[in-house]
Amino acid sequence: MTDAPTETAHGKLRDGLDSARGKASSALENARTRASGAVETSRDRARSAAQRTAETVEANPIGVIVGGLALGALVAAVIPRGKREKELLAPIGKRVGATAASAIAAAKSAGKSELDSLGINKEAARSQAKSLLDGLVKAAASAGNAAAKAGKEEAGSH
């Protein structure tokens, strides 16, 4: 003989467990959906950021290099160097400095040679300025002569 209140309690317990399983399953599915959406959104944002970074590097590579150097200098200034680090990195720093100076000198020389080959140099700039000044003087003289002539003609007609 089974006890009716016990059966009712077991039934209610099963119903409660089934309801809890359903809610947990639903919550798990919602969490999976949201996590999947968050992962996809993160991937899209990462792709977009990578694309923007690549476009920036392509559009302004010198700016990126200068920015990287500035960031490196800032980090180097903030993080203290130890004695061992100084000993190990001093020769490398000197070599990098010498190489950078050589690269700058080579770039300057190459740029100057290229500008010279295009006829863009100090002498050409002086010549252009002189030609411009001569042209302005001629224009002013012509304008003055024309004004004087017009004044004489005007005076002669009265």
Side-chain angles (χ1 to χ4, degrees):
M1 175 165 135
T2 49
D3 200 29
T6 305
E7 274 186 32
T8 305
H10 284 298
K12 287 182 180 180
L13 182 59
R14 274 191 215 110
D15 289 346
L17 285 174
D18 289 343
S19 174
R21 272 192 203 118
K23 287 179 182 179
S25 177
S26 176
L28 179 61
E29 188 59 35
N30 285 341
R32 283 183 182 160
T33 302
R34 285 192 306 228
S36 175
V39 167
E40 192 59 36
T41 300
S42 295
R43 283 185 187 147
D44 290 343
R45 287 183 179 168
R47 281 188 205 112
S48 176
Q51 183 177 1
R52 285 193 314 269
T53 301
E55 289 170 357
T56 299
V57 169
E58 285 179 16
N60 191 2
I62 301 298
V64 171
I65 291 170
V66 170
L69 289 173
L71 182 60
L74 179 66
V75 169
V78 172
I79 298 174
R81 285 187 275 172
K83 183 179 177 184
R84 181 79 175 136
E85 183 181 10
K86 288 178 189 176
E87 290 172 3
L88 292 173
L89 295 180
I92 294 170
K94 289 177 184 175
R95 248 191 341 233
V96 168
T99 302
S102 296
I104 290 169
K108 182 179 176 182
S109 176
K112 187 174 183 196
S113 295
E114 186 65 28
L115 290 174
D116 283 343
S117 71
L118 294 171
I120 303 171
N121 54 34
K122 276 186 179 180
E123 224 22 72
R126 279 190 192 122
S127 176
Q128 288 290 332
K130 186 175 182 328
S131 294
L132 180 61
L133 186 57
D134 289 346
L136 289 173
V137 169
K138 283 182 183 178
S142 293
N145 288 338
K149 186 176 179 182
K152 286 179 186 176
E153 289 175 1
E154 183 71 28
S157 66
H158 287 299

